[in-house]
Amino acid sequence: MRRIAIVLVLLGVVGFLVASSQHSGYESVEGRMKAAFSKEERGKRDLADTGRWVALVVAAIGAVLFFVPERKR
């Protein structure tokens, strides 16, 4: 169970960093202008934002699984 938890935490952190780097391109003035006028760019910005949240949730689930004691059989 701990291996799965560690994998989930790592996937969540890596996913968060990748999505954050994509999302940071839309924080500039040029990125905001593109997202304001282009439906496709707005979709990409929303996908990057959603990806950040999903990755954060995956990392949180991994952290919870890591600290929850395993059942003994």
Side-chain angles (χ1 to χ4, degrees), residues 5-45:
I6 292 171
V7 169
L8 285 176
V9 169
L10 289 176
L11 283 174
V13 169
V14 169
F16 183 79
L17 291 175
V18 169
S20 290
S21 70
Q22 290 177 351
H23 188 266
S24 68
Y26 295 103
E27 293 298 319
S28 66
V29 174
E30 181 183 351
R32 288 182 186 189
M33 293 295 285
K34 277 197 238 179
F37 293 114
S38 173
K39 197 173 199 177
E40 182 180 341
E41 291 294 326
R42 194 175 317 123
K44 288 180 185 178
R45 181 195 64 195

